[in-house]
């Protein structure tokens, strides 16, 4: 709006300047007409009296002056009107400029307020993000420490479990020159033939014997089998499960009734070929093992202790 008002003022000023120039041109044309009239009068003076010439000159001078004053008055009136209009427009332009300045100042103040609010919110967001990051890292460190402690506990429990599992009662029967001895006793070819170990005890449970079937049972698959036998007159109650192994191959088997003598027997079949266990060598020794698992060994010892207390005579 201010630019439009300024352009209007410049256009009006240009028009006023043009009008003033036109008035001055008219005055100059009148001056030239006066000069021409004077020349004509002077030429006419040669044939008329001086008085008439002077009177005509005075009359022409008065007419010229009157016309010039009229033209000057008209130009002055127009100039004053245009100046008043220009002053009004300039005043309105100044008022509009002042209003624009006030509006601009108010808008700038509002923008500053919004900018301060935005910067404050951004600073608060950055602070909250920093707090969240610190809390997250603290939680991660806590969880990492707890995880390490849990892994340490698991490792310790695993070691304890392995120690407990390996702490069961066991007995090993070593047969020196196994294949040579079996061939000497004619036990290496037919199934159903066996070789017994010397009697032994596993903790309070005994006496027990290990029976090796080099070619398995008569109704078996031809692989060696192993039995752990406990007579019916044993002092302690037998465990439910026993681990039997020939060489590197073993099985965990449950107890059953021994058809010979009515005792307890644990029988494991399909324990591999003796030729594989001995590496095809007649001079190789063979290791045979019987083991009570840790829990079964503890139960057997507990049962033996309770049974012994029950059999103790009163004082």
């Amino acid at each position: 709006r201010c630019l439009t008002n300024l352009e209007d003022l410049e256009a009006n000023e240009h028009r006023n300047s043009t009008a003033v120039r036109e008035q001055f041109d008219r005055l100059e044309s009148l001056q030239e007409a006066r000069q021409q009239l004077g020349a004509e009068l002077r030429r006419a003076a040669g044939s008329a009296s001086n008085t008439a010439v002077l009177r005509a000159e005075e009359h022409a001078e008065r007419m010229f002056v009157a016309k010039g004053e009229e033209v000057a008055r008209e130009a002055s009136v127009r100039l004053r009107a245009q100046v008043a209009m220009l002053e009004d427009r300039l005043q309105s332009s100044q008022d509009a400029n002042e209003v624009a300045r006030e509006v601009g100042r108010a808008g700038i103040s509002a923008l500053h307020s919004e900018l301060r609010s935005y910067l404050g919110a951004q600073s608060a967001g950055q602070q909250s993000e920093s707090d969240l990051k610190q809390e997250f890292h603290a939680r991660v460190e806590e969880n990492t420490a707890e995880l390490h402690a849990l892994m340490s506990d698991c490792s310790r429990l695993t070691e304890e479990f392995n120690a407990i599992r390996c702490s069961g009662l066991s007995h090993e029967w070593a047969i020196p020159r196994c294949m040579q001895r079996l061939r000497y006793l004619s036990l290496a070819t037919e199934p159903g033939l066996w070789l017994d170990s010397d009697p032994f005890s596993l903790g309070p449970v005994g006496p027990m014997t290990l029976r090796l079937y080099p070619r398995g049972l008569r109704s078996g698959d031809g692989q060696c089998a192993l039995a752990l036998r406990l007579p019916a007159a044993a002092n302690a109650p037998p465990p439910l499960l026993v681990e039997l192994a020939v060489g590197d191959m073993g099985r965990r088997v449950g107890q059953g009734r021994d058809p010979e003598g009515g005792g307890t027997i644990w029988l494991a079949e399909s324990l591999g070929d003796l030729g594989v266990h001995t590496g095809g060598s007649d001079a190789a020794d063979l290791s045979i093992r019987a083991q009570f698992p840790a829990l079964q060994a503890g139960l057997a010892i507990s049962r033996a202790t309770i049974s012994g207390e029950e059999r103790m005579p009163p004082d």
Side-chain angles (χ1 to χ4, degrees), residues 272-288:
D273 187 84
L274 285 181
V276 177
H277 291 305
T278 58
S281 174
D282 292 346
D285 299 339
L286 180 64
S287 176
I288 298 174

Side-chain angles (χ1 to χ4, degrees), residues 87-294:
E87 289 179 352
D88 293 339
R89 291 190 176 183
L90 180 61
Q91 184 64 34
S92 61
S93 176
Q94 291 177 352
D95 295 340
N97 290 336
E98 187 65 26
V99 171
R101 291 192 189 95
E102 293 294 333
V103 172
R105 283 193 291 269
I108 291 172
S109 178
L111 288 176
H112 286 169
S113 300
E114 292 180 1
L115 181 60
R116 284 193 294 271
S117 301
Y118 172 75
L119 292 176
Q122 186 177 12
S123 177
Q126 291 177 354
Q127 185 66 27
S128 61
E129 183 179 1
S130 177
D131 295 339
L132 289 175
K133 287 183 178 178
Q134 292 179 359
E135 184 178 359
F136 173 75
H137 289 306
R139 294 281 182 85
V140 169
E141 290 178 358
E142 293 178 0
N143 293 336
T144 303
E146 293 179 358
L147 180 60
H148 288 166
L150 182 60
M151 293 175 63
S152 177
D153 292 341
C154 290
S155 178
R156 179 177 55 81
L157 291 174
T158 302
E159 292 177 357
E160 293 179 357
F161 174 76
N162 291 333
I164 292 173
R165 185 180 64 179
C166 296
S167 64
L169 302 175
S170 64
H171 174 76
E172 183 176 0
W173 174 28
I175 304 176
R177 299 179 177 272
C178 178
M179 295 303 298
Q180 183 179 353
R181 184 177 179 184
L182 292 176
R183 286 194 179 94
Y184 177 77
L185 298 174
S186 301
L187 302 176
T189 56
E190 297 183 11
L193 303 179
W194 69 85
L195 178 65
D196 285 344
S197 69
D198 296 331
F200 63 92
S201 296
L202 287 176
V205 182
M208 310 176 77
T209 56
L210 282 170
R211 175 169 290 183
L212 175 64
Y213 296 87
R215 294 301 177 186
L217 303 179
R218 293 185 184 277
S219 59
D221 55 4
Q223 299 184 23
C224 62
L226 182 64
L228 176 65
R229 305 177 65 236
L230 177 68
N235 295 329
L240 295 177
L241 299 175
V242 171
E243 293 180 358
L244 300 177
V246 175
D248 295 332
M249 184 175 294
R251 296 183 184 280
R252 179 175 292 187
V253 294
Q255 63 173 246
R257 185 175 180 80
D258 191 352
E260 298 180 11
T264 304
I265 187 173
W266 295 266
L267 179 62
E269 298 184 78
S270 301
L271 293 178
D273 187 84
L274 285 181
V276 177
H277 291 305
T278 58
S281 174
D282 292 346
D285 299 339
L286 180 64
S287 176
I288 298 174
R289 295 182 307 279
Q291 180 177 350
F292 289 172

